[in-house]
Amino acid sequence: MKEVKIESVLQVYEHFDELPEEAMFLMKKAMAAREKAYAPYSNFSVGAAVLLDNDEVITGNNQENASYPSGLCAERTAIYYAGAQFPNAKIIRMALTAGSRTKQTVSPIPPCGACRQAIAEYEVKQDAPIEIYFMGETGKVVKSHSLANLLPLVFDKSFL
Ligand code: THU
């Protein structure tokens, strides 16, 4: 038996204002998308913005449904749209922001496990890392240099 240690390294910015210009630009797009979320059941709005290597910016937000599991997270709304519209483009980075209508979210809110798996598919497909920035409504912003860094032991096509 041997022990295996898996580490993730994240960069933490104290505030949105400290972000590099290109990340701030994308986060502002995610914030605008968050405002348009359809989240009448959870009152929890999420915005996602995706920058492609063809300079397109795709945004998405969570879309809820009276049949709860039929709803979709912001990240997948955005990334599937990007994949559908620009199947040959690579994803350079994503910005994510989440806020609740019932309390202020001040800590960084990471993408859920299902969204990490969905994003992983594209990172593997394009064989290049996708940078991910995530935050609440305000407060610290976390950067991950790749999706793999957020999802160790990913299940991907190599197992099929
Ligand atoms: N949600 C997202 O859009 N992204 C995530 O990564 C986590 C959760 C949405 C789904 C649902 O509409 C609401 O947030 C509450 O879970």
Side-chain angles (χ1 to χ4, degrees), residues 42 44 46 62 64 73-75 110-112 115:
S42 70
F44 189 80
V46 184
N62 49 330
E64 298 188 347
C73 290
E75 294 88 330
C112 77
C115 287

Side-chain angles (χ1 to χ4, degrees), residues 52 54 56-58 77-89 122:
L52 304 179
N54 60 7
E56 291 279 347
V57 174
I58 307 297
T77 302
I79 208 164
Y80 289 155
Y81 184 86
Q85 295 299 316
F86 303 103
N88 301 318
Y122 295 93

Side-chain angles (χ1 to χ4, degrees), residues 10-65:
L10 301 165
Q11 280 75 48
V12 181
Y13 296 87
E14 280 305 307
H15 193 263
F16 168 79
D17 293 344
E18 288 178 16
L19 288 179
E21 199 183 315
E22 65 278 8
M24 191 183 285
F25 161 81
L26 204 61
M27 191 57 85
K28 284 182 182 166
K29 298 274 185 193
M31 287 169 165
R34 191 190 68 214
E35 295 304 312
K36 294 187 275 187
Y38 178 60
Y41 304 107
S42 70
N43 287 316
F44 189 80
S45 297
V46 184
V50 178
L51 175 71
L52 304 179
D53 68 351
N54 60 7
D55 289 336
E56 291 279 347
V57 174
I58 307 297
T59 59
N61 46 39
N62 49 330
Q63 295 294 314
E64 298 188 347
N65 193 282

Side-chain angles (χ1 to χ4, degrees), residues 79-154:
I79 208 164
Y80 289 155
Y81 184 86
Q85 295 299 316
F86 303 103
N88 301 318
K90 287 189 179 181
I91 299 163
I92 294 173
R93 87 176 47 88
M94 293 182 76
L96 314 172
T97 170
S100 167
R101 255 170 258 149
T102 53
K103 60 169 191 183
Q104 213 199 15
T105 51
V106 293
S107 50
I109 300 177
C112 77
C115 287
R116 292 183 209 193
Q117 181 67 31
I119 300 165
E121 182 68 26
Y122 295 93
E123 188 168 272
V124 170
K125 176 184 170 226
Q126 67 185 33
D127 194 24
I130 299 173
E131 284 182 358
I132 302 181
Y133 290 81
F134 57 87
M135 65 181 294
E137 264 178 290
T138 183
K140 292 185 168 84
V141 184
V142 172
K143 175 192 175 188
S144 176
H145 59 76
S146 67
L147 187 282
N149 188 48
L150 292 180
L151 187 60
L153 304 180
V154 67

